[in-house]
Amino acid sequence: MGGDISLNSQEGMGSEFTVRVQLTPCEPKALDVHTERHLDYRGLKALIVEDNRTNTIIIETFMKRKGFITSSVENGELALKAVSTQQFDLILMDNHMPVMDGVEAIAGIRNMLGREKDTLIFGCTADVFKETRERMLGAGADFIVGKPIDERVLDDALYQYANKLFQFSSKRNSNVEPLR
């Protein structure tokens, strides 16, 4: 590298190493640091509304690994029935489904009379069109997660919406700080 190494050592005193190399200066670059944020989700209930079985399995795996108890249905109509009979802390709602799509289902949940209307809803879509995301948000989705789901994006969204996620949980106040 066009340099040298020198050593100066004295017994009982220690050693000094000097390394000289020729380097070309460069501009400093920003380091993209991703902070892992994990909360204690054990016992929280998530409803997965997805008509593609492979996607359902993947999402269930993510959620169960985080500690969620999961249920799944194949369309928006079944989601409305599930939400009207069970309490969920989170709903992961696909957009394009048979019988009733995600936008209609989200609007239906938001129009319910009980506290289920306030459940945290993440719209899940592979649709890259801005209009699709806007329709889901306009219907009442709290956040949109793109598919295929990036688990880091999901973790960040869960952390960002922690207060709403834990609103029905008795562990609410103890879970808004990250686990170490």
Side-chain angles (χ1 to χ4, degrees):
M1 295 179 68
D4 61 58
I5 299 174
S6 63
L7 166 65
N8 183 10
S9 182
Q10 292 182 353
E11 189 173 331
M13 296 294 293
S15 301
E16 177 184 40
F17 295 87
T18 304
V19 179
R20 291 185 188 95
V21 293
Q22 292 181 2
L23 300 174
T24 305
C26 65
E27 292 295 316
K29 293 187 179 182
L31 180 62
D32 185 21
V33 177
H34 178 75
T35 304
E36 293 290 327
R37 298 175 182 156
H38 299 283
L39 300 173
D40 183 7
Y41 304 117
R42 289 175 297 189
L44 294 182
K45 293 182 179 180
L47 175 63
I48 300 163
V49 187
E50 171 66 64
D51 63 322
N52 180 296
R53 187 67 190 140
T54 301
N55 288 344
T56 301
I57 291 168
I58 292 167
I59 297 168
E60 280 180 340
T61 301
F62 284 166
M63 301 313 289
K64 286 180 179 179
R65 194 168 50 222
K66 294 174 191 323
F68 282 89
I69 299 165
T70 64
S71 298
S72 61
V73 295
E74 300 82 33
N75 63 59
E77 185 176 283
L78 294 173
L80 291 177
K81 288 179 185 174
V83 169
S84 67
T85 60
Q86 299 174 57
Q87 179 67 56
F88 294 98
D89 300 291
L90 172 66
I91 301 168
L92 296 154
M93 182 75 68
D94 185 25
N95 184 35
H96 299 291
M97 295 177 289
V99 184
M100 180 185 288
D101 71 14
V103 171
E104 290 176 272
I106 292 168
I109 292 166
R110 294 300 188 224
N111 287 322
M112 291 181 166
L113 300 177
R115 68 183 195 168
E116 64 273 6
K117 73 179 182 300
D118 297 320
T119 304
L120 179 61
I121 301 175
F122 288 171
C124 301
T125 182
D127 194 329
V128 296
F129 295 108
K130 179 180 175 184
E131 295 79 19
T132 300
R133 293 170 184 263
E134 287 175 351
R135 283 183 62 230
M136 291 186 91
L137 291 168
D142 295 288
F143 185 80
I144 306 298
V145 179
K147 291 195 291 188
I149 292 177
D150 180 333
E151 195 166 8
R152 292 177 302 176
V153 171
L154 180 60
D155 285 339
D156 286 347
L158 290 170
Y159 188 84
Q160 180 181 350
Y161 289 91
N163 285 335
K164 193 165 187 179
L165 177 64
F166 288 102
Q167 68 182 322
F168 305 125
S169 171
S170 62
K171 302 186 305 180
R172 180 179 183 202
N173 294 327
S174 65
N175 286 323
V176 292
E177 291 301 319
L179 292 176
R180 303 277 182 231

